[in-house]
Amino acid sequence: APADTDEFLISDAGTLKRLDASLIGGGALNFLNSQTASSSTSVAFSSTYITSTYEVYKIFATDIIGASDNQNFRVHYSDDNGSNYDKTFRMAVIGLGDAGGGTPVYNQETSGSGSTTMNASSPGNATAEQNNFEFTLYKPSGGFGYAHYIMALGAANDRMNIQTGALRVGESDAINNIKFDFASGAIASGTFRLYGIVNS
């Protein structure tokens, strides 16, 4: 995508003029980075991408499958670009599934272990039990790391469920690194894409 300092040449009745790219309307999402997991311990976006440039970030994850069955999917925050993931989290998530008559599942958690669970019911590891989610991170440089997300989880016997949650950390330190993994076992496959929301 053109940078704000780039320029376009336009013709004004035959007279060439330069126009700053910042004046040309663009998309609201600015693509920053993509990572494909393949038997990966975790996937992380570093301070190269999580900066004060954007107030809101979006992460779209598709076709996420764990190497181990029924393992919680987790998120970790760091304020020192991954040297330490030691934040105290508050989290709440609720889900609905088509198994068992659509009984709601609910989970809330306070965690000082440097991570928090994103799911209310654990995903499986079969091909049809993919985890797909959209994760929105708000003003990471402003502290507390507020986020909300929505997940579409495949389940056994061609069933599925939807889960949505919100989280924050107890400290006001700026977040500059975010990591995803399973509580046990690798991320067998999946793609994670990071975007910055254009501020204006």
Side-chain angles (χ1 to χ4, degrees), residues 50-105:
I50 307 294
T51 68
S52 59
T53 301
Y54 302 97
E55 292 187 352
V56 181
Y57 289 84
K58 286 273 193 183
I59 297 170
F60 295 94
T62 56
D63 304 332
I64 309 303
I65 299 176
S68 301
D69 193 24
N70 293 324
Q71 293 298 319
N72 288 330
F73 193 74
R74 308 183 301 181
V75 61
H76 311 247
Y77 284 171
S78 174
D79 59 14
D80 55 13
N81 197 29
S83 294
N84 296 281
Y85 295 97
D86 55 4
K87 297 302 172 187
T88 300
F89 279 92
R90 296 280 300 182
M91 177 277 293
V93 57
I94 188 168
L96 288 171
D98 65 355
T103 303
V105 289

Side-chain angles (χ1 to χ4, degrees), residues 49-176:
Y49 309 105
I50 307 294
T51 68
S52 59
T53 301
Y54 302 97
E55 292 187 352
V56 181
Y57 289 84
K58 286 273 193 183
I59 297 170
F60 295 94
T62 56
D63 304 332
I64 309 303
I65 299 176
S68 301
D69 193 24
N70 293 324
Q71 293 298 319
N72 288 330
F73 193 74
R74 308 183 301 181
V75 61
H76 311 247
Y77 284 171
S78 174
D79 59 14
D80 55 13
N81 197 29
S83 294
N84 296 281
Y85 295 97
D86 55 4
K87 297 302 172 187
T88 300
F89 279 92
R90 296 280 300 182
M91 177 277 293
V93 57
I94 188 168
L96 288 171
D98 65 355
T103 303
V105 289
Y106 178 75
N107 186 27
Q108 63 181 15
E109 183 175 303
T110 300
S111 172
S113 62
S115 68
T116 191
T117 301
M118 288 179 60
N119 51 269
S121 58
S122 303
N125 66 339
T127 301
E129 295 179 292
Q130 302 170 1
N131 180 5
N132 300 272
F133 66 85
E134 176 183 339
F135 186 97
T136 305
L137 176 63
Y138 299 98
K139 299 183 72 173
S141 296
F144 297 106
Y146 278 95
H148 85 265
Y149 55 90
I150 187 165
M151 309 173 75
L153 292 172
N157 301 315
D158 292 328
R159 298 185 182 275
M160 66 157 303
N161 61 72
I162 184 169
Q163 301 180 14
T164 184
L167 59 88
R168 59 160 285 182
V169 293
E171 302 92 341
S172 60
D173 301 320
I175 303 303
N176 62 9

Side-chain angles (χ1 to χ4, degrees), residues 36-40 187-190:
T36 300
S38 178
S39 299
S40 305
I187 305 173
S189 62

